[in-house]
């Protein structure tokens, strides 16, 4: 491909989503040209409205399960519904998005000789038997449960990335992303941080599943995006998979109380049964990211929750108007 400009042309699939919109903004600020692809399955253009007039930003309505012909230097493959409510809505399409999407984007990377990044997930570890999870752990996934369309789809996408790397010499970068939060999350996708904040802001009961002692670690979106860019810019011999997440562990009760405190809400805590295959604990081991990327999350939970709460306050007040 002849690119006479010093700017890289970067394709982001799922670019209208929570992470994709932050990544688009970051890469535009870094001086690149962005092609943002999305079929708007879970998101609208709202996350990108501030970028649409930028001449270096281009939006394409397209489904990654179909081939795409563009000329690019780098591809970030993020397209996939990410929350259980969204990915269980049409599970067959979820697997297709991960698997056919990976095949199509890897084919594009092969033709254009582009570097390609895959947004994989901590869900490839399933309900893990070891804590924290290192990249060498192969996981414990139920292949026929309701979460399998996502977990196994992402596992198969990783397989495809590594086979294209071994068979065709593609320059791949695979990140296993752990729970991330921040502005532009969906208000109704059932993910715990958005759930708790929305419930607290509405003074509705905050819903805990099980006894609320299960733990999660939460990474602020700016930290995660920094990890993406660092991984993409590593030498060709670094492929991942590499865990990206914040190892700080919090129980669901602790998170609920923090949200209640920061929002000044009167919400009560209520308890419901645990959903099927819900992991009891998940925590990344990020030694590899520290060593290979020099990356470390820096935003404390309380600091990241503040702008996230402001975002949801604005969203809820504009939807009331
Ligand atoms: N946010 C997290 O905590 C997290 C954790 C682990 C992995 N990930 C991965 O990161 C990626 C982005 O997640 P997110 O939180 O931004 O989710 P999101 O749902 O906000 O964004 C995903 C985007 O992909 C689009 N999309 C879905 N199917 C598509 C298709 N067939 N063709 C084109 N576009 C399609 C959606 O419309 C949406 O805009 C996903 O692949 C997800 O699996 C996210």
């Amino acid at each position: 491909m002849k690119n006479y400009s010093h700017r890289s042309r970067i394709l982001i699939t799922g670019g209208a989503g929570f992470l994709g919109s932050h990544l688009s903004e970051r890469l535009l600020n870094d001086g690149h040209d962005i092609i943002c692809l999305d079929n708007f399955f879970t998101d609208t253009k709202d996350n990108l409205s501030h970028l649409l007039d930028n001449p270096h930003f281009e939006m394409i309505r397209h489904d990654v399960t179909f081939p795409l012909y563009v000329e690019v230097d780098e591809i970030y493959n993020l397209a996939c519904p990410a929350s259980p409510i969204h990915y269980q809505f049409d599970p067959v399409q979820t697997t297709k998005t991960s698997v056919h999407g990976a095949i199509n984007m890897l084919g594009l990377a092969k033709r254009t000789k582009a570097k390609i990044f895959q947004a994989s997930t901590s869900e490839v570890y399933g309900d893990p038997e070891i804590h924290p999870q290192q990249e060498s752990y192969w996981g414990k996934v139920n292949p026929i449960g309701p979460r399998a369309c996502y977990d196994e789809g992402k596992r198969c996408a990783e397989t495809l990335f590594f086979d294209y790397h071994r068979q065709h010499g593609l320059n791949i970068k695979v990140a296993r992303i752990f729970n991330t939060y921040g502005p532009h999350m969906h208000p109704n996708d059932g993910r715990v941080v958005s759930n708790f904040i929305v419930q607290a802001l509405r003074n509705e009961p905050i819903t805990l599943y099980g006894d609320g002692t299960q733990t999660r670690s939460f990474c602020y979106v700016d930290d995660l995006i920094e990890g993406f860019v660092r991984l993409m810019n590593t030498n060709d011999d670094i492929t991942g998979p590499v865990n990206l997440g914040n190892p700080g562990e919090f129980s669901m009760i602790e998170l609920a109380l923090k949200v209640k405190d920061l929002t000044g809400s009167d919400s009560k805590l209520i308890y419901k049964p645990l959903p099927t295959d819900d992991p009891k604990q998940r925590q990344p081991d990020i030694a590899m990211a520290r060593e290979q990327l020099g990356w470390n999350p820096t935003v404390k939970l309380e600091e990241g929750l503040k702008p996230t709460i402001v975002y949801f306050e604005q969203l809820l007040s504009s939807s009331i108007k």
Side-chain angles (χ1 to χ4, degrees):
M1 185 186 88
K2 284 199 174 62
N3 182 358
Y4 295 105
S5 139
H6 63 282
R7 310 174 77 96
S8 290
R9 196 176 302 147
I10 303 179
L11 172 67
I12 304 175
T13 76
F18 162 45
L19 299 180
S21 57
H22 286 274
L23 181 62
S24 297
E25 197 171 318
R26 163 67 191 264
L27 294 174
L28 275 173
N29 286 338
D30 287 353
H32 302 297
D33 284 340
I34 305 303
I35 302 175
C36 171
L37 174 160
D38 209 292
N39 69 348
F40 302 109
F41 175 71
T42 46
D43 285 273
T44 64
K45 287 186 189 158
D46 286 354
N47 284 341
L48 300 168
S49 50
H50 58 303
L51 305 180
L52 293 175
D53 289 336
N54 190 319
H56 296 289
F57 181 79
E58 196 181 336
M59 179 87 235
I60 305 178
R61 182 186 290 266
H62 182 84
D63 189 318
V64 275
T65 61
F66 296 95
L68 177 79
Y69 296 92
V70 287
E71 302 305 317
V72 286
D73 304 302
E74 293 179 6
I75 302 169
Y76 285 86
N77 187 34
L78 271 56
C80 189
S83 75
I85 288 182
H86 290 146
Y87 69 65
Q88 288 172 10
F89 174 75
D90 185 349
V92 173
Q93 176 65 14
T94 299
T95 304
K96 279 187 183 169
T97 295
S98 276
V99 177
H100 292 192
I103 291 170
N104 288 327
M105 290 306 118
L106 287 161
L108 178 65
K110 184 172 166 228
R111 183 178 68 75
T112 57
K113 300 189 173 46
K115 265 194 285 192
I116 181 163
F117 171 103
Q118 168 66 358
S120 190
T121 170
S122 56
E123 301 289 341
V124 300
Y125 299 123
D127 190 0
E129 298 129 308
I130 57 158
H131 298 281
Q133 290 88 49
Q134 290 180 338
E135 292 84 350
S136 54
Y137 176 56
W138 289 353
K140 181 177 163 241
V141 173
N142 173 359
I144 56 168
R147 302 172 76 110
C149 58
Y150 183 74
D151 304 1
E152 297 289 17
K154 289 284 187 181
R155 285 168 70 95
C156 183
E158 286 199 11
T159 307
L160 285 160
F161 268 69
F162 279 86
D163 281 334
Y164 266 79
H165 172 66
R166 283 185 288 259
Q167 201 174 328
H168 300 297
L170 252 64
N171 189 351
I172 61 161
K173 310 284 175 189
V174 177
R176 290 185 178 153
I177 306 165
F178 285 67
N179 265 346
T180 302
Y181 69 98
H184 296 184
M185 289 182 91
H186 298 262
N188 307 316
D189 68 358
R191 283 198 252 188
V192 65
V193 174
S194 44
N195 250 10
F196 285 4
I197 294 178
V198 170
Q199 289 171 330
L201 289 174
R202 289 182 172 147
N203 284 317
E204 290 169 359
I206 296 180
T207 321
L208 292 156
Y209 294 95
D211 60 6
T213 56
Q214 71 273 40
T215 62
R216 293 288 184 276
S217 35
F218 303 101
C219 185
Y220 187 62
V221 63
D222 289 356
D223 279 334
L224 185 79
I225 298 299
E226 177 64 30
F228 281 17
V229 174
R230 283 186 187 220
L231 177 57
M232 190 59 125
N233 292 330
T234 49
N235 295 335
D236 296 2
D237 58 325
I238 293 187
T239 57
V242 56
N243 289 337
L244 293 178
N246 191 327
E249 235 185 325
F250 295 89
S251 72
M252 296 301 97
I253 295 180
E254 279 176 288
L255 176 67
L257 293 176
K258 251 186 212 306
V259 168
K260 219 168 112 73
D261 183 40
L262 290 170
T263 50
S265 167
D266 296 328
S267 296
K268 294 190 173 55
L269 308 189
I270 58 163
Y271 295 83
K272 289 194 176 171
L274 267 184
T276 316
D277 297 337
D278 192 51
K280 281 147 218 76
Q281 186 188 21
R282 193 173 285 135
Q283 189 192 18
D285 180 321
I286 58 165
M288 189 188 280
R290 285 193 176 119
E291 191 194 314
Q292 296 189 343
L293 317 180
W295 177 82
N296 222 2
T298 57
V299 181
K300 294 205 164 54
L301 182 61
E302 209 156 288
E303 292 316 307
L305 283 175
K306 288 177 190 163
T308 314
I309 289 169
V310 170
Y311 167 76
F312 279 112
E313 268 169 347
Q314 287 166 351
L315 196 74
L316 295 183
S317 71
S318 68
S319 65
I320 290 166
K321 277 178 209 148

